[in-house]
């Protein structure tokens, strides 16, 4: 077994970088934050399987794992090593190549390394020399990216508040062809968006992208093993490139982009220093002509410009863009509950019921939720906003819970009744409220788990109180226990008053009294008096 057991996703990424990107062991180790020996061990194991790359459709992650760690896998054969110091000196001579030196090495040691492994071992040895030499970049091989330290103010026209816009800079290694744009932040969405627009501007994809140890790209900067963000790796897979962060405390690794940032600050930001911008779009519209002028600016000591060198050198060597641009996605890990749903941003999404208790990977885009297990997509849902609710695919439900699932409504009810009759009734009521019983499994499990926290006796009393008040919810029972209301005796309901009729009392008028009022009393006839008879 290898010294470090990796996940299948890491193993597939090692194979992709080695077979598709032609990365060396050192480059793969730095990109994925793994020891060189571990990367080499997994590549040897894959070569021993005899499998082609790309993997056939019938080989999933489980089948690949069984092949890689088969008991019959033979250990690596120790082969004689050449004198690397002599090889290094011979390469300095004109016309001498690694292929020529390998042929001479094979003639002297027929059982030695093959050409690919010979080159990998030499590059790993030469990387430890750390020579102070001018970096030579192959056409279409590397793009360097970073943010400028200087920002640009954008004024909010409504409030007058100033917002500092960041300046993203990308440059190709061989031609120094520049891409520059302004973004609001240096967070992961802006970081990935700038990369997508940069590759569209270049019209192709370099073999390697070299970022600094920025938080958006590298979650944990480390001299030996930087941890690249999973979304950044997903972006690299989509475009068929590799991420190779610079080493910490090695400024020469990013000398190319540092020079590009300096040029952007001098020839783009400085000319715009006295202009007032009220939106990010206005700022980027002003950046475009200055960026194009910088790419057209003639070299001082060489013929041509960055654009002419790009067209002649880098552009033909770039890999083609994929049919669609990358859609920003967030990766998460989730565990399938007994109701065969996973919780993503407080919303529940279904997966096939056979994955109960399995761990799955979740890929979140702006509109979709994609669930993967062992590298295969097992479910896809429309992303829902808001808290609560279920998104259930009917195809994910078992035809018979009794035959296929350990957890059933009857088992949950029986568990509740083992605590007490009120708890059993509460479980039944919760399940009956749902359109499908499995939607109430989580609430029932939460309810029954309160017995461990508050004792079964208290849970039974709390359920009895909740049933009396009609609060048939897990939250209601939890609140009763948290406020100790379960320890308060239940009040008996007041009896309705009984009216005894007829009632005889001197102050009680009978029906005859009201019948007499129905006949108006006779009034005397009033005649007008003579005026002389009026009193004074």
């Amino acid at each position: 077994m290898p010294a470090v057991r990796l996940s299948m996703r890491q193993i597939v990424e090692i194979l992709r970088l080695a077979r598709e990107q032609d990365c060396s062991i050192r480059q793969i180790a730095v990109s994925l934050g793994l020891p060189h020996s571990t990367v080499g061990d997994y590549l040897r194991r894959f070569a021993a399987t005899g499998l082609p790359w790309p993997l056939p459709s019938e080989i999933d992650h489980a089948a690949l794992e069984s092949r890689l760690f088969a008991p019959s896998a033979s250990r690596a054969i120790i082969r004689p090593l050449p004198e690397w110091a002599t090889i290094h000196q011979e390469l300095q001579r004109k016309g001498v190549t690694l292929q020529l030196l390998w042929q001479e090495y094979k003639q002297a040691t027929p059982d030695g390394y093959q050409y690919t492994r010979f080159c990998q071992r030499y590059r790993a040895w030469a990387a430890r020399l750390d020579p102070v030499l001018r970096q030579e970049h192959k056409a279409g091989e590397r793009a360097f990216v970073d943010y400028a330290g200087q920002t640009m103010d954008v004024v909010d026209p409504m409030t007058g508040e100033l917002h500092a816009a960041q300046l993203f800079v990308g440059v190709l290694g061989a031609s120094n062809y520049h891409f520059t744009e302004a973004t609001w932040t240096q967070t992961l969405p802006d970081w990935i968006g700038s990369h997508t627009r940069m590759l569209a501007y270049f019209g192709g994809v370099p073999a390697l992208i070299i970022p600094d140890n920025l938080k958006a790209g590298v979650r944990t900067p480390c001299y030996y093993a930087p941890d690249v963000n999973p979304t950044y790796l997903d972006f690299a897979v989509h475009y068929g490139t590799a991420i190779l962060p610079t080493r910490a405390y090695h400024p020469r690794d990013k000398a190319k982009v540092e020079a590009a940032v300096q040029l952007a600050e001098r020839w783009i930001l400085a000319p715009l220093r006295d202009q007032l911008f009220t939106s990010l779009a206005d700022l980027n519209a002003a950046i475009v002509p200055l960026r194009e002028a910088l790419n057209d600016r003639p070299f001082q000591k060489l013929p041509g410009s960055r654009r002419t060198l790009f067209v002649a050198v880098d552009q033909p060597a770039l890999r083609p863009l994929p049919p669609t641009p990358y859609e920003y996605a967030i990766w998460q890990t989730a565990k399938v509950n007994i109701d065969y749903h996973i919780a993503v941003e407080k919303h529940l999404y279904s997966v096939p019921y056979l994955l109960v208790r399995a761990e799955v990977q979740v890929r979140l885009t702006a509109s979709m939720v994609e669930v993967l297990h062992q590298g295969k997509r097992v479910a896809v849902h429309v992303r829902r906003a808001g808290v609560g609710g279920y998104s259930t695919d009917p195809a994910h439900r078992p035809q018979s819970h009794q035959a296929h699932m350990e957890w059933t409504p009857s088992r949950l009810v029986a568990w509740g009744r083992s605590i007490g009759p009120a708890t059993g009734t509460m479980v039944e009521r919760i399940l009956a409220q749902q359109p499908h019983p499995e939607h109430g499994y989580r609430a029932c499990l939460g309810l029954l788990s309160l017995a461990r926290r508050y004792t079964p006796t208290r849970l039974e009393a709390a359920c009895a109180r909740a049933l009396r008040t009609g609060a048939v919810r897990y939250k209601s029972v939890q609140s009763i226990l948290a406020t100790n209301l379960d320890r308060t005796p239940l009040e008996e309901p007041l009896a309705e008053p009984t009216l005894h009729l007829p009632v005889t009392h001197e102050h009680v008028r009978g029906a005859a009294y009201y019948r007499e009022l129905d006949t108006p009393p006779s009034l005397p006839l009033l005649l007008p008096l003579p005026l002389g008879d009026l009193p004074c």
Side-chain angles (χ1 to χ4, degrees), residues 360-419:
V360 295
Q361 288 73 45
V362 183
R363 184 176 182 267
L364 293 173
T365 67
S367 58
M368 303 298 292
V369 176
E370 186 178 8
V371 185
L372 298 96
H373 182 253
Q374 294 186 349
K376 287 187 175 181
R377 188 172 74 175
V378 295
V380 61
H381 296 273
V382 176
R383 187 172 181 177
R384 302 296 183 184
V387 177
Y390 286 81
S391 294
T392 305
D393 187 344
H396 295 161
R397 293 195 184 98
Q399 295 181 355
S400 171
H401 289 272
Q402 295 287 345
H404 297 287
M405 294 188 65
E406 176 185 2
W407 292 95
T408 62
S410 60
R411 180 180 178 185
L412 291 172
V413 172
W415 187 3
R417 288 175 178 169
S418 68
I419 296 174

Side-chain angles (χ1 to χ4, degrees), residues 40-216:
D41 180 64
Y42 278 94
L43 290 176
R44 286 191 296 271
R45 286 176 176 271
F46 180 78
T49 64
L51 292 173
W53 186 268
L55 293 172
S57 58
E58 65 271 15
I59 301 296
D60 59 6
H61 284 187
L64 177 60
E65 184 176 17
S66 64
R67 295 282 192 94
L68 291 175
F69 303 104
S72 59
S74 59
R75 298 180 62 86
I77 302 175
I78 300 176
R79 304 180 186 277
L81 291 173
E83 187 65 37
W84 294 122
T86 303
I87 296 293
H88 185 69
Q89 292 178 356
E90 289 295 317
L91 280 175
Q92 310 305 317
R93 300 173 61 179
K94 185 176 181 179
V96 178
T97 63
L98 271 177
Q99 187 172 17
L100 174 62
L101 295 175
W102 171 75
Q103 290 176 351
E104 296 174 354
Y105 159 73
K106 285 291 287 183
Q107 290 177 358
T109 55
D111 58 340
Y113 289 105
Q114 297 302 316
Y115 177 67
T116 301
R117 184 62 179 155
F118 177 88
C119 295
Q120 292 173 347
R121 295 297 299 267
Y122 166 74
R123 293 190 181 107
W125 177 87
R128 295 193 294 268
L129 296 179
D130 195 22
V132 183
L133 296 174
R134 180 180 178 85
Q135 296 184 14
E136 299 293 336
H137 300 286
K138 296 181 181 179
E141 182 186 41
R142 301 185 180 216
F144 298 82
V145 292
D146 201 359
Y147 282 102
Q150 184 177 344
T151 60
M152 196 72 182
D153 288 336
V154 178
V155 181
D156 188 331
M158 302 297 295
T159 64
E161 184 180 359
L162 294 178
H163 298 277
Q166 310 295 319
L167 191 70
F168 175 87
V169 178
V171 60
L172 289 171
S175 62
N176 292 312
Y177 194 59
H178 274 245
F179 172 79
T180 306
E181 74 166 11
T183 60
W184 283 126
T185 68
Q186 297 185 14
T187 57
L188 185 61
D190 283 337
W191 175 254
I192 297 297
S194 293
H195 276 69
T196 303
R197 290 183 288 272
M198 176 188 71
L199 296 183
Y201 178 74
F202 291 158
V205 182
L208 297 170
I209 295 179
I210 316 296
D212 196 4
N213 288 283
L214 184 74
K215 192 67 176 178

